[in-house]
Amino acid sequence: MNRTNLDFLIPMFPFGHFSDFSILIINQTSENNLLNSDFSSVQVINSYEIGLSKSRNLGLEMSKKSILLISDDDEIFKEGFDVLIVDTYNNYPNAVVAGFQIENPDGNLFRKYLKETKSNLTKFDLFGIFSSEITINKVFLEKVNVKFDTNFGLGANFSMGEEAVFLMDLKKKNQQLIYMPKVIAINPSITTTDRLNFEERYYIQGAFLARVLKRNYRFHLAIKLFFDLKQRKLKITQISKAIKNAKLGKKDFYKLQNKKNA
């Protein structure tokens, strides 16, 4: 957001110059604060709309290459990441999405990952994936016409969960989503989830479950509560309020849907 020069790209590619890569920047900004590029390999679109999912949809639409990688603007790529991604799609030519690993700045894995390659991710595998971990085959994506839900993500009604919604929509269309246990980048360890209290998280969780798992809402909410208790992300005394906020999120999501369909 509000970038005025390309200097932020320099530390993202410590092993070479950023102009060696095909880059599309969606810069959410105002008309008097524009970003421009003098590099033919770096395309810039200055967007006056706010919302992470809107930005990503615009990027998916305007991108010109067949294999896409969604990146944050403070990500640091590992040398050879591009070769690894291309090799993966050559080995799995029917995959619409290939997920990878990312590290924290301290060199540890960003989160707990599967240890083995998986050629058909389940819906449970998709819940914890971050956008900076996924790569996309645009050819297949255009065929199934799946986009990010603009109700989810920073700047939207529900400020997280956009990656899981996007991947679940692809899963529902019987697309192949795979996972490769290889690190492609380093990313700061602070996420949107870390900034939210448990009430906000469960409000969004309620909306998310209503969006992707309508029939099994209560079951998956119970699973979420169980694992949060087990991992000490939630206290027993907070369960009632967590359920209440999830119910409110679910209700507000259906209000949005009804308004959209009216």
Side-chain angles (χ1 to χ4, degrees), residues 130-172:
F130 292 94
S131 58
S132 54
E133 300 169 5
I134 67 172
T135 60
I136 301 168
N137 185 325
K138 185 176 180 179
V139 176
F140 290 141
L141 185 68
E142 289 182 333
K143 289 181 179 179
V144 295
N145 193 30
V146 170
K147 298 180 180 179
F148 281 91
D149 188 328
T150 55
N151 286 319
F152 294 83
L154 285 174
N157 299 90
F158 309 104
S159 60
M160 64 180 191
E162 72 281 358
E163 303 99 334
V165 172
F166 175 73
L167 297 173
M168 283 289 289
D169 285 349
L170 289 172
K171 185 71 177 175
K172 289 177 182 177

Side-chain angles (χ1 to χ4, degrees), residues 5-258:
N5 61 65
L6 301 178
D7 289 352
F8 71 93
L9 292 173
I10 296 173
M12 294 178 67
F13 302 90
F15 46 82
H17 196 267
F18 61 79
S19 61
D20 293 334
F21 299 90
S22 179
I23 300 171
L24 170 61
I25 301 169
I26 307 299
N27 184 47
Q28 293 190 342
T29 187
S30 59
E31 293 185 21
N32 59 353
N33 194 34
L34 301 180
L35 175 66
N36 296 293
S37 170
D38 294 325
F39 298 91
S40 60
S41 60
V42 181
Q43 179 187 0
V44 175
I45 296 176
N46 290 289
S47 173
Y48 309 134
E49 285 192 308
I50 300 300
L52 183 61
S53 289
K54 289 182 179 180
S55 176
R56 287 178 178 161
N57 284 337
L58 182 57
L60 292 177
E61 177 186 353
M62 301 302 295
S63 56
K64 299 175 181 178
K65 301 297 182 178
S66 58
I67 302 299
L68 313 177
L69 183 153
I70 297 175
S71 172
D72 294 330
D73 58 7
D74 54 358
E75 203 161 330
I76 302 173
F77 290 102
K78 293 278 192 175
E79 186 170 7
F81 78 99
D82 51 336
V83 176
L84 174 60
I85 293 169
V86 171
D87 286 347
T88 298
Y89 279 99
N90 285 335
N91 291 328
Y92 296 90
N94 295 318
V96 65
V97 164
F100 295 87
Q101 297 175 341
I102 54 177
E103 291 179 344
N104 288 324
D106 59 10
N108 294 318
L109 290 176
F110 190 80
R111 62 183 180 87
K112 187 176 181 180
Y113 291 96
L114 298 170
K115 294 182 179 180
E116 303 292 334
T117 299
K118 196 164 185 178
S119 60
N120 188 20
L121 294 174
T122 69
K123 61 182 180 181
F124 294 105
D125 296 325
L126 305 178
F127 289 166
I129 294 180
F130 292 94
S131 58
S132 54
E133 300 169 5
I134 67 172
T135 60
I136 301 168
N137 185 325
K138 185 176 180 179
V139 176
F140 290 141
L141 185 68
E142 289 182 333
K143 289 181 179 179
V144 295
N145 193 30
V146 170
K147 298 180 180 179
F148 281 91
D149 188 328
T150 55
N151 286 319
F152 294 83
L154 285 174
N157 299 90
F158 309 104
S159 60
M160 64 180 191
E162 72 281 358
E163 303 99 334
V165 172
F166 175 73
L167 297 173
M168 283 289 289
D169 285 349
L170 289 172
K171 185 71 177 175
K172 289 177 182 177
K173 294 206 172 187
N174 299 313
Q175 297 300 297
Q176 184 182 23
L177 295 88
I178 70 169
Y179 162 76
M180 183 65 62
K182 300 289 184 180
V183 177
I184 59 171
I186 300 168
N187 216 3
S189 56
I190 297 177
T191 66
T192 305
T193 307
D194 297 327
R195 301 186 185 101
L196 303 177
N197 60 40
F198 84 94
E199 294 171 321
E200 293 169 320
R201 291 200 313 271
Y202 272 88
Y203 172 76
I204 298 168
Q205 188 71 26
F208 167 75
L209 292 175
R211 170 64 170 77
V212 300
L213 297 167
K214 301 179 181 68
R215 297 179 181 177
N216 298 308
Y217 171 86
R218 292 182 180 180
F219 172 72
H220 286 94
L221 179 59
I223 291 178
K224 173 66 175 173
L225 289 164
F226 171 78
F227 280 106
D228 278 357
L229 286 169
K230 186 177 180 181
Q231 297 171 9
R232 298 183 180 179
K233 296 180 181 179
L234 188 72
K235 299 176 182 178
I236 293 178
T237 55
Q238 296 174 326
I239 291 178
S240 177
K241 187 164 283 189
I243 294 173
K244 181 180 179 180
N245 279 275
K247 185 176 181 180
L248 180 60
K250 176 184 177 182
K251 181 180 178 181
D252 286 351
F253 172 75
Y254 283 134
K255 282 183 180 178
L256 285 173
Q257 290 297 98
N258 291 335

